[in-house]
Structure formats: C-alpha cells, structure tokens
Amino acid sequence: MIRARLNPASHAEIQPKKVVGVLLPLPLAGAYDYKLPAGTDVPRGTLVSAPLGNREVLGVVWCDAEGTVGDNRLKEAVPLDGGPRLPEKLCDFIDWVADYTLNPPGAILAMALRSRGAFDPETRRIAYVRGSVTPPRMSAARVRALEIAGDGLARSVSGLAEDANVSAAVVRGLVTAGALIPTELPEFAPFRQPDPSFAGPKLGDDQATAADALRQAVTDTKFSAHLLDGVTGSGKTEVYFEAIAAALETGKQVMILLPEIALTIQFLERFAARFGVRPAEWHSDLSQKERRRTYRAVMNGEARVIVGARSSLFLPFPELGLIIVDEEHEQAFKQQEGAIYHARDMAVVRARIEHCPVVLASATPSLESFVNASQGRYSHLKLTSRHGVAEMPRVELIDLRHARDPVDAEKKAQWLSPPLRAALEKTLAAGEQAMLFLNRRGYAPLTLCEACGHKFTCPHCSAWLVEHKYKRRMACHQCGYELPMPSSCPQCNESGTLIACGPGVERVAEEFAVFFPQARFAIASSDILHGPAETQAAIRAMARREIDVLIGTQIVAKGHHFPQLTLVGVVDADLGGSDGDVRARERTFQLLHQVSGRAGRAEKPGLVLLQTRNPEDAVMQALARGDRDGFYEQERGYREAYAAPPYGRLAALVVSGYDGEAVREIARQLGKCAPNARDVKVWGPSPAFYALLRGQTRERLLVQTAKSVDVQAYLKTWLAGIKVPASVRVAVDVDPVSFF
Ligand code: ADP
Ligand code: ZN
Ligand code: ZN
C-alpha cells in the first residue's frame, strides 16, 4: 500500500500543473510523464504514488517531461507523505548502471527500491508504563505486575504479563483501573552508533602506512580508488577499519561489500570488537521488517555503516564517504540473474559519483584491478608480510601420477595420497588442526549404471545429478531438482549396478574417517542440502577447536582465521582449470592461493599440499614457488596478446527460453545480423555450457572488441536490428566473467 499526501492546493484550477518524467521500478523503456498536484514542484528523486493502468505504483521523479501528450490526458503523480526522496547521486548512479549494462533504468531502480513498505509512515506501538494510581483492590498478581512495571520500562500487555507471570486479563484490569498508562513506542529500535575510538589497534609499519593513506583519502572527500593488496593474514581488515574510523569521525556513512553472507557473520563480530557495536546488515536473508528498518535508517542517516552483499550498492546513502569491497576478486560480486552487473566495478562507479574513496581489498586481486594499480589508476597499497610472527605457509605439490599406495597395500586410498595422509597424521599427533579442500559438493558428481551405462542427469538442466549420501538423495546443483537415491537402474532395472564416479567432499570425508577413525571432523559446504546454519556450525566448531579437521568446499577457503590450523590439503588442485574461459587460470590460482592462506596464520608454521596430475603447469608452479606477481605478469602478457580484458572488451548475449526452437532461431538471426565494425569480432551462436538450465534452452554469442570500441553502442545497434518474441529472452552481459 502506498500512502499519498492529499491534494493540498485549493487554487488548483488557476495554476498550470507541472509535468515531470517519473521513473517506475519496472523494465519499461524510460520515464513516463505525469502531472504533479497543482502548486507542487519537487526535486529529482522524490518518491511519488503514480497511477499505472488501474493500479497505483511507487515511482520516482526523475527528469524533465519529454512527451507531447496534452496536459489533460496526463495522470497525476502524488508525492508520498513526509516527502521521502532518493539522494540525487543515487539517481545518477542508477542511470549510469542502466546505460552501462544496457538495462532499462526502471529495472535498476527496482533494485534500489527493494524494501516493501520502506516509505510507509512508521506504525507506532502502544506500550504501558506504571502510572501514579494504585487501585483499591490489589491481588497478589496485581502487586507483582505493578512491581515489574515499576522499573520504568514500557511493555506491551503480553510482554508485561509474561515478565510478571500473570494473565493478560490482570494487566488489562490494571490498565482500566488507570494503574498502567499507555505510551507510544517507535516502530523500530534505533541503530547503535559505532565508536571510531572504541578499540584502536596497534598497527604494523606496512599497515600504518596504508592506513594513513586511506585516512587521508577519506578526509580529502573526493574520488580515489585504492587496491589494498596484502598477503593472506597481513591484516587488511585492520587497515581498512582505520579508513572507516576516519569516515565516522568526519560524519560520513560507509558501505562494505562482502562476497558472501557466510563471511558476514565473522565480520560482524570483528567489527564489533573494533567499533563497539555491530554494523547494520543488508542481504537477502533479512526479514521484510529488518529490511524496512535498515533501509529507512540508511536513508535518514541513522545507520552509519552497512555491511552486505552486492545489493547494498543501491541503498540510498545521503552521506556516503567510503566504500570497501573486500575479497574484490570474488566472482560472487557478479550478479548473473536479472540485471547483470559486477558489484565491484559498479562500486568504483558509485564512489566516483559520490566523490569518495573506494578500497578494493584482496590477497589475490583480479587481474583488472592489478593492472589498474600497476598503471597508476588505483593507488597500490601493499602489505607484504603476515601480521605478527606468522610466516607464509610452505606449499608443496604431490604428483598424483606417482604418489600412490602400493598395489598390495591393505588399505588403499582413492583420494588421499600417502604423503597427504602422512602429513595429516603428523599434524593430528601434534594436536594441531587441518583442512581438506575439494571444490565439489556432495558425495559423487556422477552416478552411472555399470550394466547399461545409464548416467543420472537432471530432467531440467544439462547437468549430472550429484549424489548426497547423508541425505540419501541425488540433486541437481543448478536447479535444486532432487530424487531419493534409487536402488536400481531406471533404464535397465538391474540392481546393485550403480557406481559413484569421482569424489565430492562427503566422499573424501568417508575415506578420511577410514584412515583416521579417532579424529574429529566436520564437513562444510555451501550446499542446498547442508544449509548455511550447518556450515556456520562447522566453522564455529573449527574455531573453538571442537574438531580437528574441516573438510570443505570453497566456503572454507576464504576469510576464515583458525590460529591452530597448520595443514591444508587440496584434494584435487586440477579441478576447474580447463573450462576454456579467459579467467580459468586466474581463478584457479586465486582459489588455491586463498585456501593455502588458511594455513599457519599464527605462531605455528603452515604447510599446504596440493594433489595434482599437472605439476608442471604454470599455476601449480607459481603456487609452489609462492610467486604470485610472476604469475600475474605472465597472465597479463597472455591477456594483452589476445586482447582479452582488461586489454580488450567482452560482452555476451545469452538467448534463453522454454521453446528451444524459437531460442535457436533468434540466436541464429542474431548471429546473421551482427553489424560489421572495426575491431569487433563476434562468435557464436553456440549452445551455452548449460545448454538446458531450469528447463530453458540457452544459446550464447560473444563479442570481443578493442578497448577503444564503444561496446554499448555496438550492442544497441545490433539488438535494434532484430525483433524478439515474448517467449525468448536476450540477456546482455557486459564484461562477462563466466561462460556457463
Ligand atoms: P587478511 O584479511 O589480510 O587476511 P586479517 O585482517 O584477517 O588478515 O588479519 C589476520 C589476523 O591478524 C587477524 O586475527 C587479525 O585480528 C590480526 N591482526 C591484524 N593486524 C593486527 C594488528 N595491527 N594488531 C593486532 N592484531 C592484528
Ligand atoms: Zn542400467
Ligand atoms: Zn537441474
């Protein structure tokens, strides 16, 4: 429900009504013209209630009117009660993102209005406090209730009844008797304010230098971009906390983007240790009510620091003074559904529009940011050693082609090689912790029938069903389709013929338990079947030393700090190294480097063992030598030679829909009508990696251009040449980072 201010002016008929362009949070081509109520003029960003068809929708005054429709045919948009308004810079940002990603501005606005009811007036709650009257008739229950109410806190009827252990009728009787008097409470508890000087750290030399630079950037109140490039465990968080402190001291708001909710929880506690209170959160797990509370608090300036997922980018900060993007290389910052955008890149854009600094933090920066920093577009703040006495871990390769159990060994391992098991034994004997990493959820990625060769695949996706042994189910990791684990083959009806192929974390855990029956372990994976709560529990158990070994997927690779963890074993370092996209090597390096960085973060030195079948591979060699910059230089050379990003531009068109023939037809037409232009190459159409996803057929086209080409203009011309039926969707992905 949208509440609008009543039409105020009585001289309405005399004054001409102003006409403005109103943007609606819908994927329409642009703003629509509306009249404002007579005598009203409101600035850009003002929220209005606007009739659309026979509905009233929320809209935002966006621009000057453009239409030629006669005044009398225009409908009237009425500003909301209290005059709430999106900050003008947010409106500019929305326009910018829309232009860059080739989405209708209304589709981007929708992301900025994602709290239902954020603009409704606050509903105040009635609560009761002790009045001066004492009723003549006092029962024991009444005495108790008034005693409790005597502490001065305002309570609801049920709240007081519960606290005093009396019935609600007793409380109501006291209200009628005038012994309790009603009072109004605000709908929401206020946000507590972080204190910049609550617990300042003692910084190391590198840290202090970087922190000073960032404090300076914050007080300069102009755009600047900084790559905070520090090895794992070097204390990047402590450094950017200083920038946050500076922003708080100067009365600015701060936005912190983290790639995953799972990382947020540890972060909140760390933030509280430094600033005395937790920051406000923004992500998809918030309740409607919390969203409403947080959105309003951001907009009215009450919430000073927001930590959240990429959607925080579109919050209405009136006084934004600093943006932090932690683990900036993470692919999770790319939104792949709906409007496709990269939150890290858009964070830089928002900082430019807000005239404030942006800090990109990582131990393994994206190649784009690395190049920007080395070319001087970003300041390059380096932290080269771990905080305190911790050293970087030693990394060794285990060549799986040779490191095997002897043929006649009594217990033969499939996934944990003898050298890895020996290291595990040593670590456990020393009372230290270990982590086994495999970037694959479930028990086995493929199940097939030995008798007839049948493979279990998802009926809705071109993907195998993954066995999950604990839940005795098979699941599609793309769409969530599930099946109870069958006992016989659905194709040939034989039983006992199904075999699990390859390992997932559950299977590694099973083997681990066979070799180390005494050890305490837990599985952590970002899974549809192991929920986030279970993962958090495993991570907490590890931090509290309630378990010895954590066996997990990429969810355990990042951010976590376990002081007693001295051994990291990577079960299959070759996974994901060859899916033919320009960033595959970079990503493998980043992931393995991050996971290695979990080892030896305190006094005891760390050891990382990578099991591989390609020990000569450049990625493996760079990891073993600890030569990150060498790897980046080599990678940069490849990208330059192939005019790949950041030395050239990429954009993808993804054609999808339930009608496979229509999808292929549109993709073919797109391929044919691609305009010829200098320094532009078009590939495809070809079936996407998941040619079928959630029941939809998918085809892809890829555009590669020189850096100087205006790829948006090219795409616009191209797409204007073709009529797409409603059953087919053509999604534009500017700067694609994955090719699924
Ligand atoms: P990174 O994010 O660079 O991997 P962290 O910020 O997690 O590193 O820091 C690693 C560990 O060192 C954390 O436990 C952190 O609290 C601690 N630490 C870092 N800098 C300091 C400091 N100046 N004083 C005290 N502890 C610090
Ligand atoms: Zn079969
Ligand atoms: Zn599926």
Side-chain angles (χ1 to χ4, degrees):
M1 234 285 291
I2 302 161
R3 299 220 207 146
R5 200 194 292 160
L6 290 177
N7 208 339
S10 56
H11 50 287
E13 305 318 314
I14 321 155
Q15 277 196 1
K17 296 184 179 184
K18 175 150 188 185
V19 180
V20 292
V22 170
L23 190 64
L24 306 175
L26 300 165
L28 308 165
Y32 284 8
D33 285 356
Y34 282 89
K35 283 185 291 197
L36 291 175
T40 345
D41 190 4
V42 290
R44 179 167 202 229
T46 302
L47 287 139
V48 294
S49 169
L52 180 73
N54 49 13
R55 294 185 293 157
E56 282 284 320
V57 295
L58 189 64
V60 180
V61 173
W62 206 253
C63 49
D64 293 335
E66 40 183 281
T68 49
V69 186
D71 203 23
N72 48 2
R73 281 177 48 199
L74 286 179
K75 299 211 175 119
E76 189 170 282
V78 182
L80 299 196
D81 236 359
R85 199 181 137 195
L86 298 183
E88 177 140 17
K89 285 177 181 157
L90 175 59
C91 300
D92 295 347
F93 177 61
I94 290 168
D95 277 336
W96 203 98
V97 175
D99 280 348
Y100 189 81
T101 62
L102 291 188
N103 275 285
I108 308 296
L109 175 65
M111 298 197 286
L113 295 179
R114 239 188 307 194
S115 159
R116 246 192 288 142
F119 312 108
D120 289 348
E122 225 181 299
T123 50
R124 302 204 152 234
R125 287 178 295 139
I126 301 293
Y128 296 90
V129 290
R130 177 79 172 97
S132 53
V133 175
T134 302
R137 279 188 28 247
M138 289 291 287
S139 61
R142 283 189 159 191
V143 170
R144 217 164 41 242
L146 289 186
E147 227 173 66
I148 297 283
D151 68 2
L153 284 184
R155 291 180 177 81
S156 64
V157 170
S158 59
L160 179 53
E162 194 182 316
D163 287 358
N165 195 20
V166 301
S167 73
V170 168
V171 177
R172 271 188 240 110
L174 287 168
V175 172
T176 316
L180 293 172
I181 45 180
T183 174
E184 278 195 344
L185 288 187
E187 183 178 353
F188 299 118
F191 281 88
R192 289 170 58 207
Q193 299 302 310
D195 173 2
S197 52
F198 181 77
K202 270 216 168 52
L203 297 177
D205 289 348
D206 278 8
Q207 283 182 315
T209 310
D212 286 347
L214 293 180
R215 275 184 166 273
Q216 184 61 46
V218 169
T219 43
D220 282 347
T221 59
K222 59 176 201 231
F223 170 71
S224 56
H226 309 266
L227 179 61
L228 180 55
D229 175 2
V231 298
T232 49
S234 58
K236 294 182 286 294
T237 316
E238 312 296 331
V239 170
Y240 70 66
F241 275 173
E242 291 316 291
I244 295 173
L248 291 171
E249 284 157 11
T250 51
K252 295 289 191 178
Q253 289 173 296
V254 180
M255 177 205 301
I256 307 166
L257 300 181
L258 299 180
E260 284 174 39
I261 302 178
L263 291 180
T264 316
I265 299 168
Q266 272 203 348
F267 181 86
L268 297 174
E269 282 158 22
R270 245 178 115 173
F271 186 94
R274 171 66 182 81
F275 294 104
V277 296
R278 291 176 158 218
E281 294 172 66
W282 186 262
H283 50 67
S284 56
D285 273 6
L286 294 186
S287 67
Q288 277 299 338
K289 192 175 164 197
E290 271 305 304
R291 281 182 166 256
R292 176 165 135 83
R293 171 177 182 236
T294 307
Y295 192 97
R296 295 167 75 99
V298 171
M299 189 152 85
N300 67 26
E302 183 190 312
R304 306 310 295 172
V305 180
I306 288 275
V307 56
R310 51 185 187 236
S311 56
S312 319
L313 259 184
F314 296 96
L315 283 172
F317 293 92
E319 304 170 304
L320 192 56
L322 173 66
I323 303 178
I324 313 273
V325 184
D326 203 352
E327 309 287 354
E328 68 91 30
H329 62 281
E330 280 292 333
Q331 216 182 323
F333 283 122
K334 179 90 183 197
Q335 164 143 315
Q336 305 280 11
E337 313 265 303
I340 301 174
Y341 67 91
H342 202 304
R344 181 233 305 141
D345 297 347
M346 295 306 114
V348 175
V349 171
R350 181 138 192 203
R352 198 182 299 131
I353 290 174
E354 300 278 352
H355 306 299
C356 77
V358 56
V359 179
L360 310 178
S362 176
T364 51
S366 62
L367 196 76
E368 282 82 351
S369 298
F370 185 79
V371 170
N372 276 328
S374 45
Q375 294 178 346
R377 271 190 298 277
Y378 296 175
S379 87
H380 201 164
L381 306 171
K382 293 185 195 175
L383 306 178
T384 49
S385 59
R386 286 191 156 176
H387 173 74
V389 295
E391 295 284 328
M392 292 304 285
R394 191 156 49 96
V395 179
E396 287 174 12
L397 304 178
I398 298 177
D399 185 346
L400 283 182
R401 295 167 309 182
H402 305 300
R404 274 183 304 219
D405 287 297
V407 188
D408 52 4
E410 183 193 341
K411 275 192 202 165
K412 254 170 88 177
Q414 286 190 78
W415 326 113
L416 305 174
S417 65
L420 178 53
R421 291 193 329 256
L424 280 165
E425 216 153 284
K426 211 167 138 204
T427 305
L428 292 172
E432 294 164 11
Q433 290 176 301
M435 180 187 280
L436 290 173
F437 171 78
L438 177 67
N439 205 12
R440 232 194 234 143
R441 299 173 280 158
Y443 183 79
L446 167 66
T447 304
L448 59 76
C449 170
E450 215 170 11
C452 74
H454 175 70
K455 290 178 182 158
F456 284 78
T457 55
C458 176
H460 313 295
C461 306
S462 38
W464 291 334
L465 292 181
V466 179
E467 178 180 353
H468 287 255
K469 200 157 199 169
Y470 293 153
K471 312 269 164 138
R472 298 218 190 90
R473 296 182 85 77
M474 302 182 95
C476 171
H477 285 176
Q478 300 310 315
C479 72
Y481 171 84
E482 281 182 40
L483 197 77
M485 198 61 206
S487 53
S488 61
C489 172
Q491 186 164 288
C492 69
N493 292 321
E494 294 279 329
S495 55
T497 57
L498 302 184
I499 45 177
C501 303
V505 276
E506 290 181 6
R507 199 168 189 182
V508 169
E510 181 184 79
E511 184 165 291
F512 174 81
V514 170
F515 284 96
F516 300 93
Q518 313 297 338
R520 302 167 301 170
F521 69 92
I523 300 175
S525 90
S526 63
D527 213 282
I528 40 174
L529 299 176
H530 299 263
E534 214 168 299
T535 298
Q536 279 312 314
I539 287 167
R540 217 164 273 144
M542 186 74 176
R544 294 200 193 116
R545 308 223 51 214
E546 291 158 11
I547 55 173
D548 306 308
V549 180
L550 189 59
I551 302 174
T553 61
Q554 44 89 23
I555 195 103
V556 299
K558 306 158 204 164
H560 303 294
H561 184 70
F562 306 119
Q564 295 298 321
L565 175 66
T566 55
L567 173 68
V568 166
V570 175
V571 176
D572 185 350
D574 306 328
L575 251 192
S578 59
D579 52 356
D581 95 50
V582 291
R583 291 188 182 78
R585 293 153 43 84
E586 176 188 337
R587 249 183 335 248
T588 304
F589 182 86
Q590 285 163 339
L591 184 59
L592 296 180
H593 188 90
Q594 288 285 335
V595 75
S596 304
R598 297 312 109 205
R601 288 169 68 96
E603 294 81 34
K604 295 172 185 152
L607 173 64
V608 179
L609 296 176
L610 305 178
Q611 299 196 133
T612 172
R613 287 190 172 74
N614 301 297
E616 294 85 24
D617 182 76
V619 175
M620 298 306 145
Q621 287 295 323
L623 286 164
R625 285 197 314 268
D627 184 13
R628 187 201 79 170
D629 287 358
F631 174 77
Y632 275 62
E633 282 309 330
Q634 187 189 48
E635 200 58 27
R636 180 224 289 263
Y638 289 140
R639 300 276 185 96
E640 197 163 10
Y642 293 100
Y647 297 96
R649 295 179 195 281
L650 289 179
L653 297 181
V654 183
V655 189
S656 63
Y658 291 103
D659 178 350
E661 211 22 72
V663 168
R664 280 183 288 271
E665 177 54 31
I666 291 298
R668 261 194 303 273
Q669 286 181 29
L670 276 169
K672 267 198 238 132
C673 73
N676 283 320
R678 254 182 61 184
D679 297 330
V680 177
K681 277 183 274 182
V682 175
W683 281 287
S686 56
F689 182 81
Y690 293 110
L692 191 67
L693 189 65
R694 295 180 203 101
Q696 302 204 27
T697 298
R698 301 166 76 249
E699 293 264 321
R700 296 180 64 96
L701 296 107
L702 186 68
V703 188
Q704 184 176 14
T705 78
K707 187 99 189 173
S708 56
V709 170
D710 179 346
V711 72
Q712 281 83 5
Y714 179 84
L715 291 167
K716 272 189 211 158
T717 313
W718 186 5
L719 293 168
I722 180 164
K723 191 146 172 28
V724 181
S727 64
V728 175
R729 182 173 133 82
V730 178
V732 180
D733 182 355
V734 177
D735 308 329
V737 296
S738 68
F739 298 83
F740 69 96

